[in-house]
Amino acid sequence: MKNSAISERKNQSISRGVGMTTQIYADRAENSEIWDVEGRRYIDFSSGIAVVNTGHRHPKVIEAVKAQLDRFTHTCHQVVPYESYVRLAERLNGMLPGKFDKKTIFVTTGAEAVENAIKIARNATGRPAVIAFAGGFHGRTFMGMALTGKVVPYKVGFGAMPADVFHAPFPVALHGITVADSLAALDRLFKADVDPARVAAIIVEPVQGEGGFYEAPRDFMTALRKICDQHGMLLIADEVQTGFARTGKMFAMDHHEVAPDVTTMAKSLAGGFPLSAVTGRAEIMDAPSPGGLG
Ligand SMILES: Cc1ncc(COP(=O)(O)O)c(C=O)c1O
């Protein structure tokens, strides 16, 4: 099989809206290497965009999945629950930063985790508005897209966006935006656009991924925590891309002095299988009534 021949078929059969970085069709992958359908071997620096942090087909992951396939594939946890859901929730609750009781829910994709984090934040605070940052990426569903701070290619032609989403500039020294600039812009936002008493949450990537790999400075994160505490807003860390040791610590927020109220996770949580999670302060996570999440 030739990459070019599959590429031709792809052009005829798949929407061009699904953009592609390469035209190398994967045949198999092992640890940090991929072989294409023509037998060429590549070093995979992308890890499926931070999805296989422990390498392709990590033996422990494959073993766990095989064992599960021999037992059951789906019962719907809301109908017939299973212990592994509880066990993983317990592990995440114990691992995430913040010395407070935590609870977790599992969903399927990063965008879905973000959607649920916003639902939970709105429910817990009784407030509608959300603040995100320019250059941030939070997914391609409607709320994920609205929160994403990049028009091209993520929003163009897909309006109208959900209301009550506001963006502030992210501090990036390379772009000449200091922490003070970002905080001043937030202040302007509160004066010109949205009453802070209407804001449910600020959502931030501890390291912007899609935006260009920019770390949130420590004093910026500390200032966001302070603003949230001052106005009764929640701080949501979107760790979909930064989680599970991508930044050298288990979570990127482990590099900071402050903890978020809610964290979204996906990607390397399951090493290549579709699983995402929202973990947060127990009382916040318990705000939605039974059936509101799932
Ligand atoms: C920070 C962040 N949030 C959310 C998402 C969306 O995740 P998914 O593509 O699994 O919906 C991504 C995906 O790259 C991401 O990097």
Side-chain angles (χ1 to χ4, degrees), residues 49 109-112 114 137-140 205 210 238-241 266-267:
I49 316 188
T109 65
E112 206 185 346
V114 168
F137 183 76
H138 300 286
R140 288 183 172 86
E205 290 167 273
E210 167 61 27
D238 185 347
E239 293 246 23
V240 165
Q241 185 154 166
K267 294 189 184 267

Side-chain angles (χ1 to χ4, degrees), residues 44-260:
D44 180 11
F45 286 102
S46 75
S47 316
I49 316 188
V51 171
V52 287
N53 286 357
T54 52
H56 291 281
R57 302 182 70 253
H58 189 285
K60 280 191 179 171
V61 176
I62 299 300
E63 196 187 318
V65 170
K66 280 183 178 167
Q68 184 59 47
L69 287 178
D70 284 336
R71 301 186 79 80
F72 61 90
T73 57
H74 179 72
T75 61
C76 184
H77 192 265
Q78 291 108 291
V79 181
V80 179
Y82 31 91
E83 187 269 341
S84 52
Y85 191 118
V86 180
R87 196 171 359 126
L88 187 56
E90 287 168 344
R91 283 189 72 183
L92 290 179
N93 294 342
M95 279 163 72
L96 278 144
K99 288 190 181 64
F100 41 79
D101 289 344
K102 302 183 192 83
K103 287 195 176 183
T104 291
I105 63 160
F106 293 108
V107 279
T108 313
T109 65
E112 206 185 346
V114 168
E115 295 276 339
N116 278 282
I118 303 302
K119 281 173 64 175
I120 294 164
R122 283 181 166 173
N123 202 304
T125 58
R127 302 171 176 193
V130 190
I131 294 173
F133 292 94
F137 183 76
H138 300 286
R140 288 183 172 86
T141 52
F142 265 100
M143 183 49 83
M145 181 168 60
L147 292 169
T148 290
K150 252 182 153 179
V151 169
V152 180
Y154 302 115
K155 302 196 205 201
V156 75
F158 296 126
M161 297 294 143
D164 268 329
V165 173
F166 301 88
H167 288 90
F170 192 76
V172 180
L174 185 68
H175 297 177
I177 306 169
T178 64
V179 169
D181 293 337
S182 275
L183 297 177
L186 266 175
D187 210 38
R188 275 200 301 279
L189 202 65
F190 295 148
K191 288 200 173 92
D193 291 310
V194 59
D195 176 359
R198 287 185 67 250
V199 178
I202 298 180
I203 184 166
V204 62
E205 290 167 273
V207 181
Q208 283 198 338
E210 167 61 27
F213 298 104
Y214 299 124
E215 278 176 58
R218 272 179 130 209
D219 50 343
F220 181 61
M221 202 57 91
T222 306
L224 289 186
R225 177 72 272 173
K226 207 168 149 199
I227 291 168
C228 285
D229 292 343
Q230 197 180 343
H231 297 288
M233 305 165 187
L234 305 182
L235 183 62
I236 304 174
D238 185 347
E239 293 246 23
V240 165
Q241 185 154 166
T242 51
F244 304 97
R246 197 75 198 174
T247 67
K249 295 201 186 222
M250 192 51 107
F251 296 101
M253 286 305 290
D254 289 328
H255 296 280
H256 291 274
E257 278 157 352
V258 294

